[in-house]
Structures are given as structure tokens and as C-alpha cells.
């Protein structure tokens, strides 16, 4: 087992990894930017090293700085969290070359999954249905028009290296395509240093459903059920739940079987999430694999009883899957997560600043993952996630009731938050009926929630 782990991240996920390490008796090293000097992850780690200025390109994304910190502190492994370097295959390779275990899949698998278009081909070959789309990278707008002709409009242009909902454009006709192709390419080049585009059929009003995978290095793969992530703003998730209100036990069993085989076939190890869109007929189509821990992993932890982050560490240390996941695995109850962002709940504009009052809810079935506290400053340089509020219940109704009282008792003053938006969503009859798709929020104009 590892003796010491460096956490190449900040905020709530850095604290989450520290919790897992403490339980496993592993010492921790925090890295931080100058803006995060007073953060809780710095306080609760055994050691901490400043790796550069506030801008993430010069600190949390700076590979030489992170690796130097790991070498100086003599760690055995690095946990990358999510975002930042978590899906950077080059970084994973540099870690391995420096004799430091990267806590995640092998670099070659991260690289494969990092190209959404290559990942599509690989899982399709392993028997997973994918959204109909282009083969290979689209050379230019003409080739895109040709492909769209075969697929049928509307289509969605997507960045091969995409993430966070960027580099995507919905195209409804051939006339619209050339300018949108150019825009999407530019956005992809600016965001991911890679302008490559591919194309999928645009599925009207789908549901976003994803399956959680854990795999060891000896060919054992387990699927810990699914999460429903259709409540999104600007293609980014806002509320997630497990299980999905629309996945039947038969569909779940079929998908878990398919995925166990497919992920074994592609040589997947450690934790990963396989994302699908569900169309109106209830068919699921693969869109991508996230080769890391997800923001929304706590809902799966509640229903499965499996500690996802501890599992990642144990699997990276070469433990077998049965040390992390009980056999047989039973999924029980219902969990919901609200992402509480420091942002205007109507315009979604980030709202950094000093938190003047902070009360975290608790009581039965409620969990809060956050690095925020009273009098802390939310810096403007990073994502706007302030806290994850997770509620668990015997069934969906109880989880929602607990979430409602927790939202009411969650006090954050000094910055705007998405709490009022969550409260409106949780009161919506369609949400309560489990009847919603990814365009839910754009149609949700009640009480001043703007259309997007
Ligand atoms: P990213 O990696 O940027 O998050 P994804 O491929 O995971 O991108 O897609 C994010 C969201 O965009 C999905 O949850 C869905 O709402 C929408 N989306 C992606 N592909 C399609 C598609 N083919 N048809 C309709 N909506 C899509």
C-alpha cells in the first residue's frame, strides 16, 4: 500500500481525497496556488507545497511544478481528482516514468478515451451502441456537410478533445454549417489546444444517463449502476441522482453486463464513467468515457455503500476488486446531489467573493462535500462549484424531502449561489414525476429562472 499520496487538485475534491487517505492511514501532500494559501486542503494535508501563481495554467496545470512537488516530498502516488490534469495522458505517463503511481487508468487508455471519436470506435467494436455519427475526424466544413447529409439534420458538431460542454454546436441545415463549424473549431482550439471535430446525430431532448465502472488490474470489472444527469445548464450538470427514475431493472442488468465485457475488452482499469444519451424510445447510445472520478460520485456511494475514492487508491495499489466492492453488490435507496455553485441563479454568471455567513445542513441522510467556510474567499480563477449537497432516502420521495429541508437550512451569504434555483427545480411537477430531459432547464422559465 502507498505510504504517501500527493493530491494534484484543490477545493472539495482535494478534501475528499484527504478523507480517503486518512481512513487508509496514508499520509498526504497538498499542492496549492498562491490564491489557495489559506484553503482547507492545505490545512488538513500532512504537508503542503505552493506550486505557483493563481492562474491554473501556472499552478494546478503545470506538470513540472506538480512533479517536482511529488519528488521533493517523496510520494508513492498522485491522485489527480477531476478536471486539471486528471485526464491528461502525458501527465499520467510522466508520473509513471518518474516512478510515481498515477491513480487512474493506464496512460494508453486515458489517451484513447481522451479522443471522444476514437473512444466511440473502440466501444462500438466492443458491442456498445453509439450515437450515429461521422467516422474519423472531419477535415473541413465540406466534409462535415457530406456527413450530415448521410446522418440527417439536426446534427451536433463536437470537439474530439471536448469537455465541460465546450466546442459543441447544434446544426439544423447545410447553410448553417460552415460558420458553426468554424466557431466550434475555434472554441475547441482555444479550450483544448486541439481544433479536431467530429459529428453526431443530434438526439432531440435526450436524457443523460451514465454508468459507474470500477476495474482492477486482473480483468475484474464491476458496474455500480447508473446516475441520471439530465438536469443541466449549458450542457453542464446541475443535479444528479441515482438510480435514474427511468432505468428499469432489466435495462440496468443488460447495460451492466454489456459494460462489464466492453470495459474488460478495452483494458480499462480503476474508476471510470461511461456516459449515454437516452432517446424518446428509451434506447441508450454511448457518448463518452470520463476516465476519472466524477463530481457526482457521492450519489453512487450512497446507494452502493462503496467508497469510490478509497477504491481508486486501493485499485491503483494493485488490490483486487473484491477488496473494494462487496459480492454480490446490492444497490439500495435513492440519492440526489445538488451542485451549489457560487453563481447568479438566473444568469449563471460566476459570483466569486468573501463568504460572510455559512451554515452547512446535516441530520439523517445528508452529506455536504465542500472546502468553503465562513470568511473564506471564493477566488475567481477556478470553477464555481462551492459545495455538493447530497441527500439519501429509502426512495426518491424521501431523498427529495431531505434535500428540500437541507437546501432551506444551507446558509451562504456574501456570494450568490444556485440554491434558489435548486429549490425551484425541486418543486417542479415534472421534476417530481421524474419526467425530464436535458432541455428541462432551458424550458424552465418559472419565477424568473431564465431560458438558456
Ligand atoms: P462534454 O464532454 O463537453 O461534457 P458530452 O459529450 O458529455 O460533452 O455532452 C454533454 C451534453 O451535451 C450531454 O449531456 C447532452 O446534454 C448534450 N449532447 C451531447 N451529444 C449530444 C447529441 N448527440 N444529441 C443531443 N445532445 C447531446
Amino acid at each position: 500500500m502507498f505510504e504517501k499520496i500527493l493530491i494534484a487538485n484543490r477545493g472539495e475534491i482535494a478534501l475528499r481525497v484527504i478523507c480517503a487517505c486518512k481512513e487508509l492511514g496514508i499520509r498526504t501532500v497538498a499542492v496549492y496556488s498562491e490564491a489557495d494559501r489559506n484553503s482547507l486542503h492545505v490545512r488538513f494535508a500532512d504537508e503542503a507545497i505552493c506550486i505557483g501563481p493563481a492562474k491554473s495554467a501556472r499552478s494546478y496545470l503545470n506538470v513540472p511544478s506538480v512533479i517536482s512537488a511529488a519528488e521533493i516530498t517523496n510520494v508513492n502516488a498522485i491522485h489527480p481528482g477531476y478536471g486539471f490534469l486528471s485526464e491528461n495522458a502525458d501527465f499520467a505517463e510522466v508520473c509513471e516514468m518518474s516512478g510515481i503511481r498515477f491513480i487512474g487508468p493506464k496512460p494508453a487508455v486515458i489517451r484513447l478515451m481522451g479522443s471522444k471519436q476514437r473512444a466511440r470506435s473502440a466501444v462500438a467494436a466492443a458491442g456498445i451502441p453509439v450515437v450515429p455519427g461521422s467516422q474519423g475526424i472531419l477535415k473541413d466544413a465540406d466534409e462535415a456537410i457530406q456527413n450530415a447529409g448521410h446522418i440527417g439534420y439536426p446534427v451536433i458538431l463536437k470537439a474530439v478533445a471536448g469537455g465541460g460542454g465546450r466546442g459543441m454546436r447544434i446544426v439544423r441545415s447545410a447553410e448553417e454549417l460552415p460558420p458553426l463549424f468554424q466557431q466550434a473549431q475555434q472554441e475547441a482550439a482555444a479550450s483544448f489546444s486541439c481544433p479536431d471535430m467530429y459529428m453526431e446525430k443530434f438526439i432531440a431532448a435526450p436524457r443523460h444517463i451514465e454508468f459507474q465502472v470500477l476495474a482492477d488490474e486482473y480483468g475484474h470489472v464491476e458496474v455500480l449502476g447508473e446516475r441520471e444527469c439530465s438536469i443541466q445548464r449549458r450542457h453542464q450538470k446541475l443535479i444528479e441522482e441515482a438510480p435514474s427514475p427511468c432505468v428499469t431493472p432489466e435495462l440496468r442488468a443488460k447495460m451492466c453486463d454489456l459494460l462489464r465485457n466492453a470495459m474488460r475488452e478495452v483494458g480499462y482499469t480503476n474508476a471510470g464513467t461511461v456516459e449515454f444519451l437516452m432517446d424518446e424510445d428509451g434506447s441508450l447510445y454511448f457518448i463518452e468515457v470520463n476516465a476519472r472520478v466524477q463530481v457526482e460520485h457521492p450519489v453512487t456511494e450512497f446507494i452502493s455503500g462503496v467508497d469510490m475514492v478509497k477504491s481508486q487508491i486501493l485499485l491503483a495499489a494493485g488490490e483486487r476488486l473484491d477488496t473494494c466492492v462487496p459480492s454480490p453488490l446490492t444497490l439500495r435507496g435513492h440519492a440526489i446531489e445538488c451542485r451549489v455553485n457560487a453563481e447568479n441563479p438566473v444568469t449563471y454568471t460566476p459570483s466569486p467573493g468573501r463568504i460572510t455567513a455559512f451554515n452547512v445542513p446535516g441530520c439523517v441522510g445528508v452529506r455536504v462535500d465542500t472546502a468553503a467556510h465562513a470568511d473564506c474567499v471564493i477566488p475567481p480563477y477556478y470553477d464555481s462549484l462551492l459545495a455538493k449537497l447530497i441527500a439519501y432516502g429509502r426512495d426518491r420521495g424521501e431523498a427529495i424531502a431531505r434535500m428540500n429541508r437541507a437546501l432551506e437550512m444551507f446558509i451562504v451569504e456574501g456570494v450568490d449561489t444556485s440554491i434558489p434555483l435548486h429549490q425551484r427545480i425541486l418543486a417542479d411537477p415534472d421534476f417530481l414525476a421524474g419526467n425530464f430531459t436535458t432541455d428541462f432547464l432551458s424550458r424552465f422559465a418559472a419565477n424568473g429562472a431564465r431560458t438558456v
Side-chain angles (χ1 to χ4, degrees):
M1 181 44 64
F2 306 126
E3 280 168 24
K4 208 199 256 188
I5 289 178
L6 180 141
I7 300 143
N9 216 302
R10 64 181 298 282
E12 68 86 20
I13 195 62
L15 280 182
R16 173 69 189 85
V17 179
I18 290 174
C19 290
C21 290
K22 283 186 187 295
E23 288 179 32
L24 289 168
I26 298 171
R27 292 176 62 77
T28 49
V29 177
V31 293
Y32 61 96
S33 73
E34 285 164 8
D36 281 338
R37 196 170 290 283
N38 298 316
S39 299
L40 286 185
H41 75 287
V42 174
R43 177 156 165 184
F44 288 126
D46 296 303
E47 295 168 59
I49 290 199
C50 182
I51 50 165
K55 287 246 163 68
S56 31
R58 298 184 57 200
S59 48
Y60 297 106
L61 288 171
N62 185 336
V63 173
S65 294
V66 174
I67 295 288
S68 306
E71 285 184 334
I72 292 165
T73 51
N74 203 20
V75 298
N76 314 107
I78 294 185
H79 195 301
Y82 52 69
F84 296 128
L85 298 171
S86 61
E87 290 175 286
N88 183 323
D90 294 339
F91 175 67
E93 225 158 50
V94 173
C95 288
E96 303 283 312
M97 280 171 350
S98 315
I100 301 163
R101 201 70 209 254
F102 176 83
I103 300 178
K106 300 291 170 220
V109 173
I110 300 176
R111 189 162 283 124
L112 174 68
M113 299 308 169
S115 160
K116 292 165 82 169
Q117 174 269 322
R118 278 181 59 218
R120 268 168 63 85
S121 309
V123 302
I128 301 289
V130 300
V131 183
S134 56
Q135 305 284 332
I137 294 158
L138 298 167
K139 274 205 308 288
D140 49 29
D142 283 344
E143 193 176 84
I145 289 175
Q146 256 177 27
N147 272 274
H150 294 303
I151 299 165
Y153 290 95
V155 293
I156 182 164
L157 288 167
K158 297 174 77 169
V160 164
R166 279 161 303 168
M168 288 196 284
R169 290 292 183 284
I170 301 162
V171 187
R172 301 190 184 277
S173 68
E175 295 73 60
E176 257 183 38
L177 199 144
L180 291 175
F181 188 84
Q182 203 187 357
Q183 277 175 29
Q185 261 196 331
Q186 276 167 1
E187 196 172 300
S191 307
F192 317 113
S193 311
C194 171
D196 293 347
M197 304 300 298
Y198 70 111
M199 176 188 285
E200 284 175 356
K201 171 121 196 97
F202 179 71
I203 300 181
R207 294 179 83 119
H208 176 118
I209 290 166
E210 59 184 34
F211 289 80
Q212 177 66 55
V213 174
L214 279 178
D216 68 15
E217 294 176 0
Y218 316 103
H220 306 110
V221 183
E222 190 51 277
V223 184
L224 288 78
E226 80 286 354
R227 294 183 287 259
E228 163 75 63
C229 309
S230 300
I231 306 292
Q232 305 180 345
R233 57 134 176 73
R234 299 183 177 150
H235 301 306
Q236 287 177 349
K237 299 161 191 165
L238 195 65
I239 298 181
E240 304 97 343
E241 52 186 301
S244 164
C246 71
V247 172
T248 60
E250 296 72 37
L251 179 60
R252 180 174 307 118
K254 184 183 129 196
M255 291 306 294
C256 290
D257 267 356
L258 267 178
L259 284 168
R260 267 192 292 269
N261 291 328
M263 298 308 268
R264 190 176 302 120
E265 222 163 285
V266 300
Y268 201 91
T269 54
N270 214 270
T273 296
V274 190
E275 297 191 333
F276 291 84
L277 296 180
M278 181 186 265
D279 70 7
E280 281 171 342
D281 304 335
S283 305
L284 286 169
Y285 297 98
F286 169 90
I287 48 172
E288 67 165 341
V289 174
N290 289 141
R292 54 168 164 80
V293 67
Q294 299 273 98
V295 175
E296 57 272 26
H297 73 273
V299 292
T300 301
E301 294 187 320
F302 261 132
I303 67 158
S304 67
V306 174
D307 183 318
M308 293 295 308
V309 178
K310 260 194 325 207
S311 301
Q312 283 189 296
I313 295 169
L314 291 167
L315 293 169
E319 294 290 335
R320 291 165 57 96
L321 191 60
D322 55 14
T323 61
C324 315
V325 181
S327 174
L329 171 71
T330 31
L331 303 176
R332 192 170 286 132
H334 199 99
I336 302 188
E337 172 179 282
C338 287
R339 295 193 192 190
V340 175
N341 295 324
E343 68 186 15
N344 182 300
V346 176
T347 61
Y348 309 136
T349 320
S351 176
R354 184 173 294 278
I355 294 183
T356 51
F358 199 67
N359 179 62
V360 169
C363 204
V364 183
V366 168
R367 162 176 170 184
V368 181
D369 282 17
T370 185
H373 53 90
D375 212 31
C376 77
V377 172
I378 306 296
Y381 312 103
Y382 314 110
D383 73 31
S384 57
L385 185 67
L386 177 81
K388 305 191 310 204
L389 176 57
I390 309 107
Y392 175 75
R394 261 190 324 268
D395 51 30
R396 190 165 187 261
E398 189 175 52
I400 291 175
R402 284 183 173 154
M403 181 61 87
N404 270 319
R405 59 102 173 141
L407 284 165
E408 193 186 326
M409 295 167 94
F410 201 162
I411 297 170
V412 185
E413 287 171 9
V415 299
D416 287 339
T417 77
S418 39
I419 291 173
L421 176 59
H422 286 301
Q423 287 174 314
R424 288 199 296 271
I425 296 170
L426 260 71
D428 181 84
D430 282 332
F431 179 81
L432 293 173
N435 178 23
F436 50 82
T437 52
T438 55
D439 62 351
F440 174 88
L441 265 190
S442 60
R443 293 187 289 110
F444 187 75
N447 298 335
R450 59 165 250 177
T451 41
V452 282

